[in-house]
């Protein structure tokens, strides 16, 4: 697989992760839900950082803006 194909796959995986992520996990009273959300954020953060290191910061930011709930924009700074 070519490097560009791998990067395209990483971007698709990140987008799918963002679509499936529970953006309101931190409001749950269920510790399992909260923990799962924290783990999801950690995994998403790792994918975002990997892509940014490869020079795809603009694409990552666009995905973030299109999938992250408006009220969680501050959280984005914590992911950097």
């Amino acid at each position: 697989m070519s490097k560009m194909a791998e990067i395209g796959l990483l971007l698709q995986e990140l987008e799918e992760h963002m679509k499936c992520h529970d953006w309101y996990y931190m409001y749950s009273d269920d510790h399992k839900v909260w923990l799962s959300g924290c783990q999801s954020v950690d995994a998403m953060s790792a994918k975002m950082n990997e892509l940014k290191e490869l020079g795809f910061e603009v694409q990552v930011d666009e995905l973030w803006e299109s999938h992250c709930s408006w009220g969680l924009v501050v959280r984005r700074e914590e992911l950097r």
Side-chain angles (χ1 to χ4, degrees):
M1 182 182 300
S2 73
K3 188 70 171 173
M4 287 307 293
E6 288 179 34
I7 291 168
L9 184 59
L10 279 173
L11 285 166
Q12 287 177 349
E13 287 175 3
L14 177 60
E15 183 172 20
E16 190 61 33
H17 190 141
M18 288 180 172
K19 285 179 182 178
C20 296
H21 178 68
D22 176 6
W23 292 100
Y24 297 97
Y25 72 94
M26 73 284 285
Y27 298 111
S28 178
D29 292 331
D30 185 336
H31 182 70
K32 289 180 184 178
V33 171
W34 178 84
L35 187 58
S36 176
C38 288
Q39 291 169 344
S40 177
V41 166
D42 289 344
M44 191 174 357
S45 178
K47 289 176 188 176
M48 291 171 67
N49 289 334
E50 180 181 357
L51 285 162
K52 286 182 177 188
E53 287 176 9
L54 293 170
F56 292 88
E57 186 167 349
V58 171
Q59 292 86 341
V60 169
D61 287 345
E62 287 174 354
L63 284 173
W64 179 270
E65 296 298 330
S66 67
H67 291 92
C68 178
S69 301
W70 180 86
L72 300 175
V73 172
V74 174
R75 179 76 173 138
R76 176 176 174 225
E77 296 305 317
E78 295 175 24
L79 292 174
R80 289 187 171 207

